[in-house]
Amino acid sequence: MMFTISHLSVFSLLLSIFAVVSALPLALRDVFVPPVTYPHAGTVWKVGQHHNVTWDTTNAPVNITNKLGKVVLAKGGRLDYEHPLIKDFDILKGRIEVQVPDVTPGDDYTIVLFGDSGNNSHNFTISK
Ligand SMILES: *[C@@H]1O[C@H](CO)[C@@H](O)[C@H](O)[C@H]1NC(C)=O
Ligand SMILES: *[C@@H]1O[C@H](CO)[C@@H](O)[C@H](O)[C@H]1NC(C)=O
Ligand SMILES: *[C@@H]1O[C@H](CO)[C@@H](O)[C@H](O)[C@H]1NC(C)=O
Ligand SMILES: *[C@@H]1O[C@H](CO)[C@@H](O)[C@H](O)[C@H]1NC(C)=O
């Protein structure tokens, strides 16, 4: 009984948060989806190396809703959302250093950069 009730209240709390966020005027939410410029097609990263992911900030709106960025690695289009390479950095910096995690080598890796929304890099290679 208790379990059901607490589940219900969490659910309605989430619903109210969603309602409030969706009700925000669109003008206050300038969406910025910067294109990733590095890594790109032909890039090869080795496990353990440090690299700067870079992106184009030239079209950044004056008032960005979410200035904090997150970099997520994806393989074959599958995002490892639970383990971002780095997060909570200033998206206007245009670059952020990451360390290549110990993942299975492959040539179908992409970097997804999240601010307000996500944009992905080209496919690139990670090797041992
Ligand atoms: C992502 O970046 C590309 C350029 O690399 C751009 O053409 C595209 O519109 C961007 N996607 C979004 C959702 O803004
Ligand atoms: C990343 O960029 C910063 C700032 O330009 C630089 O100091 C740093 O050495 C770069 N890191 C790598 C791995 O290139
Ligand atoms: C940006 O936000 C400031 C402060 O809220 C406001 O005065 C300004 O008009 C906004 N600019 C744009 C282009 O939305
Ligand atoms: C990356 O490669 C996959 C196939 O492995 C393809 O479906 C996808 O469109 C490619 N992504 C980009 C951004 O080129």
Side-chain angles (χ1 to χ4, degrees):
M1 197 58 173
M2 284 303 286
F3 183 74
T4 312
I5 288 168
S6 69
H7 252 76
L8 271 178
S9 22
V10 167
F11 183 62
S12 46
L13 178 66
L14 286 177
L15 267 186
S16 352
I17 291 172
F18 182 72
V20 169
V21 170
S22 328
L24 286 176
L26 209 60
L28 290 178
R29 300 187 284 150
D30 266 342
V31 170
F32 178 41
V33 188
V36 175
T37 48
Y38 180 85
H40 46 66
T43 298
V44 179
W45 283 1
K46 281 193 159 48
V47 166
Q49 285 180 335
H50 292 260
H51 290 283
N52 276 312
V53 171
T54 63
W55 58 94
D56 187 0
T57 59
T58 47
N59 291 320
V62 180
N63 293 327
I64 301 180
T65 315
N66 179 14
K67 285 199 173 69
L68 294 182
K70 184 188 298 197
V71 169
V72 176
L73 187 65
K75 184 177 193 316
R78 284 215 357 250
L79 277 76
D80 188 2
Y81 201 77
E82 298 296 311
H83 308 102
L85 297 187
I86 190 159
K87 60 177 183 156
D88 295 342
F89 53 86
D90 180 0
I91 195 125
L92 294 176
K93 276 172 61 177
R95 67 168 61 212
I96 191 74
E97 190 173 307
V98 298
Q99 183 171 17
V100 185
D102 191 359
V103 290
T104 314
D107 59 5
D108 57 349
Y109 280 98
T110 48
I111 284 293
V112 187
L113 173 68
F114 287 96
D116 294 307
S117 180
N119 205 345
N120 57 290
S121 71
H122 286 126
N123 285 312
F124 69 100
T125 301
I126 294 182
S127 69
K128 287 278 181 188

